Amino acid sequence: MELEKWIEFQRLGDERGDLVALEIGQQQEVPFEIKRVYYIYRTGEGVSRGFHAHKTLKQVAICISGSCNITLDDGFSRLDVHLCSPTKGLLIESFMWREMHSFSENCVLLVLASAHYDESDYIRNYEEFLRVARGHEC
Ligand code: TYD
């Protein structure tokens, strides 16, 4: 599976500065209906978070300020991806283990999600994730 999938957002800026608009129901770029938006900010120095996969949830992560890294793992290979652009969204499919780290001090990570928050959709145990992702167990 291709780990790194980017979505490019149109920059509507002018001489005053930049602007990106994502309209619910209109956004052609995001391959799901957006049901939830959340953002991660003021992350402490050296903090890593995530360490889970989702059974059904799809997400797009956009670093709208500063920078951070997301390690993606589909159960077969790992890739560390650098996010630093408000016009580039990283598509994170279901059954993709993710670890967020290396947050800059001013980092704001905006996440678009395909469903409401549901703890039962999480896989938080890496061994369990590997078993499921490699197709040994459901
Ligand atoms: P968590 O998913 O553990 O954060 P991360 O994976 O980024 O390290 O979420 C942290 C807390 O916030 C946890 O108690 C669940 C809660 N939460 C919500 O209530 N709604 C949400 O949309 C998200 C993403 C988290």
Side-chain angles (χ1 to χ4, degrees):
M1 193 200 296
E2 191 191 351
L3 293 179
E4 192 177 8
K5 291 182 190 163
W6 291 101
I7 299 166
E8 192 73 36
F9 300 116
Q10 196 186 350
R11 188 162 49 86
L12 304 170
D14 53 30
E15 65 285 350
R16 296 168 298 171
D18 292 332
L19 187 155
V20 170
L22 299 172
E23 291 192 53
I24 306 294
Q26 297 278 30
Q27 76 286 358
Q28 303 304 313
E29 306 92 340
V30 178
F32 52 78
E33 190 186 340
I34 300 168
K35 292 271 180 59
R36 175 166 54 110
V37 176
Y38 64 92
Y39 40 95
I40 294 169
Y41 64 106
R42 278 199 329 112
T43 308
E45 204 186 332
V47 166
S48 296
R49 56 185 304 165
F51 298 94
H52 65 255
H54 286 280
K55 296 171 191 167
T56 62
L57 190 75
K58 294 175 189 290
Q59 296 180 301
V60 172
I62 311 159
C63 191
I64 60 171
S65 172
S67 65
C68 66
N69 281 32
I70 302 183
T71 301
L72 298 174
D73 180 339
D74 65 358
F76 297 94
S77 55
R78 273 191 167 231
L79 182 71
D80 195 42
V81 178
H82 186 62
L83 289 84
C84 60
S85 170
T87 62
K88 285 183 78 178
L90 180 68
L91 176 64
I92 308 176
E93 305 273 11
S94 51
F95 287 108
M96 185 73 78
W97 187 264
R98 84 288 313 268
E99 300 171 6
M100 290 94 90
H101 62 96
S102 305
F103 289 86
S104 66
E105 202 186 327
N106 59 341
C107 180
V108 181
L109 183 64
L110 182 77
V111 183
L112 315 174
S114 63
H116 296 150
Y117 177 75
D118 176 9
E119 185 58 38
S120 70
D121 191 64
Y122 280 68
I123 303 171
R124 293 191 182 274
N125 180 289
Y126 187 64
E127 299 307 316
E128 182 191 343
F129 164 72
L130 285 183
R131 280 198 300 275
V132 176
R134 291 177 180 177
H136 296 311
E137 194 184 289
C138 255

